[in-house]
């Protein structure tokens, strides 16, 4: 019985300890991350746009009144992030994440009954409290605890599935709305969140590998000493303490760069508006009729590039974080230059596709950079504070960038290019200075 709970350490021919192998349990953690991103996260963040027209028309309100629903999700998520981080750090992940799934499912289910727009905001609060743990904290926390190697790659794979889920569920939701109603679509989406989410959290998730007699994938025996002997309490791990991190300039450089990261994704969401603007003026060889198809094709290319970039950036970050940052920001800079010139539809579409790289960076690199700087010790608490800025920056940027675009698209792209440069410098500085932070074992 003890041999099953604590499998013997494998030793190489020269007697040195080898790395922990990948087991079925490690694969189940990846499955959990994939399902969480493909199900609850995609159904909240990547599908809400298909409800704008039918809900607004049905309730007789402006579309902006409905879109405040998703803004509220971001705002509440930012407020709830530190509380969610503390819960994930101190309690069983299965319980915390399962409650989060139920909250999201309940919020979406109630949407099918609301007949006043202000009632949707009640659902926005419920969904915001629940989704912040699932979207921003669950996957990084699980991968960080269960994988000592290839953590960036596995996080990239998991986060990429939110884009895949967005494409799948948008099509499913559109068919349901067309055949039945938007109320039925909300009920179906609520059921999907519940079934997919609870299967992931209850069946696949375990808080620490020690709970099932395992160690993080790739860890050496010398590293195991710090996390061995699990007795129902949190394993002893090494890293930068939350207190040290919060008092360091590195933390503020990190949240600055991550806030800019998420803010820049707003400009990606404005591509369709920009293409229609060019079509209305007859610029860059785009006609009003051709703008509709071009915007759709560009959006599809962007999502495809984004999904691939999450995996690519995650894999590269395992080898070189600076290399991954260079790719992200060069891609982001080139895509802005393509938009700035507006000389041909081909350049505009190329810029739109390259926007997928920067769009992927917040999911693929934000948790990886934080993990590289602080290590596993207080990772969840620290990253939950980073998530506050990420959420609030996204909510504020939606208004700011839209207002600047209405005034001048040239100013929009110039501001974006400046922010790309600032984010790159602050990110590199955070990575470099983070190497000097004191790491201790808890």
């Amino acid at each position: 019985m003890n041999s099953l709970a604590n499998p013997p350490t494998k030793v190489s021919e020269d007697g040195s300890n080898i790395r922990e192998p990948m087991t079925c349990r490690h694969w189940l953690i990846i499955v959990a991350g994939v399902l969480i991103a493909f199900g609850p996260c995609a159904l909240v963040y990547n599908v809400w746009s298909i409800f704008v027209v039918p809900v607004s028309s049905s309730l007789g309100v402006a579309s902006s009144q409905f879109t405040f629903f998703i803004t509220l999700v971001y705002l509440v998520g930012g407020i709830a992030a530190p509380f969610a981080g503390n819960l994930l750090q101190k309690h069983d992940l299965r319980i915390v994440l399962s409650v989060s799934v139920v909250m999201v499912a309940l919020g979406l289910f109630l949407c099918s009954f609301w007949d006043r727009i202000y009632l949707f905001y009640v659902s926005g609060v419920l969904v915001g409290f629940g989704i912040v743990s699932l979207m921003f904290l669950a996957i990084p926390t699980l991968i960080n605890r269960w994988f000592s190697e290839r953590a960036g790659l596995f996080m990239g794979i998991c986060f990429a599935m939110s884009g895949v889920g967005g494409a799948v569920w948008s099509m499913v939701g559109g068919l349901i709305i067309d055949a039945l109603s938007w109320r039925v679509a909300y009920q179906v989406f609520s059921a999907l969140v519940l079934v997919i989410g609870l299967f992931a959290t209850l069946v696949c998730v375990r808080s620490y590998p020690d709970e099932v007699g395992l160690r993080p994938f790739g860890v050496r025996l010398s590293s195991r000493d710090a996390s061995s002997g699990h007795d129902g309490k949190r394993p002893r791990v090494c890293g930068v303490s939350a207190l040290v991190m919060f008092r360091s300039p590195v933390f503020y450089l990190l949240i600055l760069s991550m806030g800019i990261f998420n803010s820049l994704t707003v400009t990606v969401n404005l591509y369709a508006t920009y293409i229609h603007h060019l079509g209305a003026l007859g610029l860059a060889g785009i006609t009003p009729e051709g703008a509709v198809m071009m915007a759709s094709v560009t959006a599809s290319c962007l999502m495809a590039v984004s999904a691939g970039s999450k995996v690519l950036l995650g894999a590269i970050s395992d080898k070189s974080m600076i290399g991954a940052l260079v790719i992200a920001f060069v891609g982001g800079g080139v895509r802005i230059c393509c938009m700035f010139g507006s000389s041909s539809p081909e350049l505009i579409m190329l810029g739109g596709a390259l926007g997928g790289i920067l769009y992927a960076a917040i999911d693929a690199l934000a948790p990886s950079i934080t993990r590289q700087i602080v290590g596993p010790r207080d990772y969840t608490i620290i990253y939950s504070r980073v998530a506050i800025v990420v959420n609030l920056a996204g909510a504020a940027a939606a208004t700011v960038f839209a207002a600047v675009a209405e005034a001048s698209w040239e100013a929009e792209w110039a501001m974006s290019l400046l922010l790309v440069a600032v984010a790159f410098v602050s990110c590199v500085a955070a990575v470099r200075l983070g190497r000097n932070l004191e790491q201790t074992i808890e």
Side-chain angles (χ1 to χ4, degrees):
M1 187 170 183
N2 289 335
S3 62
L4 292 175
N6 299 287
T9 303
K10 295 184 178 180
V11 180
S12 60
E13 292 182 359
D14 62 358
S16 62
N17 296 302
I18 64 173
R19 301 171 189 269
E20 181 77 8
M22 184 77 95
T23 67
C24 177
R25 274 293 176 185
H26 291 93
W27 283 113
L28 280 176
I29 295 300
I30 298 175
V31 170
V34 166
L35 290 177
I36 289 171
F38 181 78
C41 296
L43 287 163
V44 170
Y45 286 111
N46 296 66
V47 184
W48 63 268
S49 60
I50 69 172
F51 291 98
V52 175
V53 173
V55 174
S56 300
S57 300
S58 175
L59 301 184
V61 298
S63 60
S64 60
Q65 290 179 273
F66 176 78
T67 56
F68 183 70
F69 167 80
I70 196 66
T71 301
L72 194 60
V73 170
Y74 274 108
L75 289 173
V76 172
I79 296 170
F83 304 103
N86 290 338
L87 289 173
L88 291 171
Q89 185 81 352
K90 298 176 181 178
H91 301 284
D92 191 329
L93 291 185
R94 287 173 293 179
I95 297 174
V96 178
L97 295 180
S98 295
V99 171
S100 298
V101 167
V102 172
M103 291 180 69
V104 173
L106 178 60
L108 294 180
F109 184 71
L110 290 175
C111 285
S112 67
F113 295 99
W114 300 141
D115 57 0
R116 296 288 186 275
I117 191 62
Y118 67 85
L119 293 174
F120 276 83
Y121 305 153
V122 175
S123 288
V125 173
L126 275 173
V127 173
F129 272 111
I131 199 63
V132 67
S133 297
L134 299 170
M135 180 68 196
F136 296 98
L137 302 177
I139 294 173
T141 297
L142 284 168
I143 299 298
N144 182 58
R145 291 179 181 180
W146 278 80
F147 296 89
S148 179
E149 288 187 348
R150 302 181 189 173
L153 171 62
F154 294 135
M155 274 191 278
I157 291 173
C158 292
F159 280 121
M161 296 307 295
S162 63
V164 176
V168 172
W169 303 130
S170 293
M171 184 181 300
V172 171
L175 292 173
I176 295 173
I177 292 172
D178 185 57
L180 299 170
S181 71
W182 59 267
R183 296 185 184 276
V184 175
Y186 268 125
Q187 291 171 3
V188 172
F189 282 1
S190 174
L192 287 169
V193 167
L194 206 60
V195 172
I196 296 174
L198 290 183
F199 178 82
T201 60
L202 295 178
V203 177
C204 302
V205 168
R206 292 295 182 274
S207 295
Y208 292 95
D210 299 65
E211 293 180 5
V212 288
L214 298 172
R215 301 292 184 269
F217 167 70
V219 76
R220 297 179 184 274
L221 181 61
S222 58
S223 301
R224 292 180 183 183
D225 296 337
S227 59
S228 59
H230 184 76
D231 57 0
K233 299 180 181 179
R234 182 187 170 194
R236 290 167 56 81
V237 288
C238 181
V240 179
S241 71
L243 184 62
V244 170
M245 184 61 175
F246 295 151
R247 291 178 175 177
S248 169
V250 175
F251 176 69
Y252 298 98
L253 287 170
L254 182 64
I255 61 174
L256 171 66
S257 54
M258 294 305 106
I260 294 176
F261 259 133
N262 206 35
S263 297
L264 288 170
T265 63
V266 173
T267 63
V268 177
N269 292 323
L270 291 173
Y271 283 167
T273 305
Y274 182 57
I275 291 171
H276 283 286
H277 164 75
L278 295 177
L281 298 178
L283 299 176
I286 303 172
T287 63
E289 297 77 15
V292 177
M293 181 57 69
M294 183 176 171
S296 298
V297 173
T298 301
S300 298
C301 293
L302 188 151
M303 286 295 106
V305 172
S306 175
S309 296
K310 289 178 184 179
V311 179
L312 177 65
L313 291 175
I316 293 175
S317 69
D318 288 330
K319 305 294 183 181
S320 171
M321 185 59 69
I322 301 299
L325 287 170
V326 169
I327 292 174
F329 287 111
V330 167
V334 171
R335 66 104 185 181
I336 294 172
C337 292
C338 289
M339 294 293 182
F340 220 139
S342 304
S343 59
S344 70
E346 289 78 17
L347 273 178
I348 300 298
M349 292 186 68
L350 174 61
L354 289 176
I357 300 176
L358 203 56
Y359 198 79
I362 186 64
D363 288 337
L365 295 184
S368 296
I369 293 172
T370 307
R371 181 180 187 274
Q372 184 178 104
I373 292 173
V374 306
R377 175 180 163 168
D378 289 340
Y379 173 86
T380 302
I381 292 177
I382 294 170
Y383 192 65
S384 69
R385 272 55 173 184
V386 175
I388 298 174
V389 178
V390 169
N391 279 272
L392 297 182
T399 301
V400 173
F401 277 100
V404 173
E406 287 182 2
S408 169
W409 281 103
E410 287 72 18
E412 177 88 354
W413 303 129
M415 182 174 68
S416 298
L417 196 58
L418 176 63
L419 288 175
V420 165
V422 172
F424 178 73
V425 172
S426 61
C427 238
V428 172
V431 171
R432 298 286 191 188
L433 295 175
R435 297 171 181 171
N436 299 322
L437 292 177
E438 179 187 7
Q439 298 204 13
T440 54
I441 294 177
E442 181 189 42

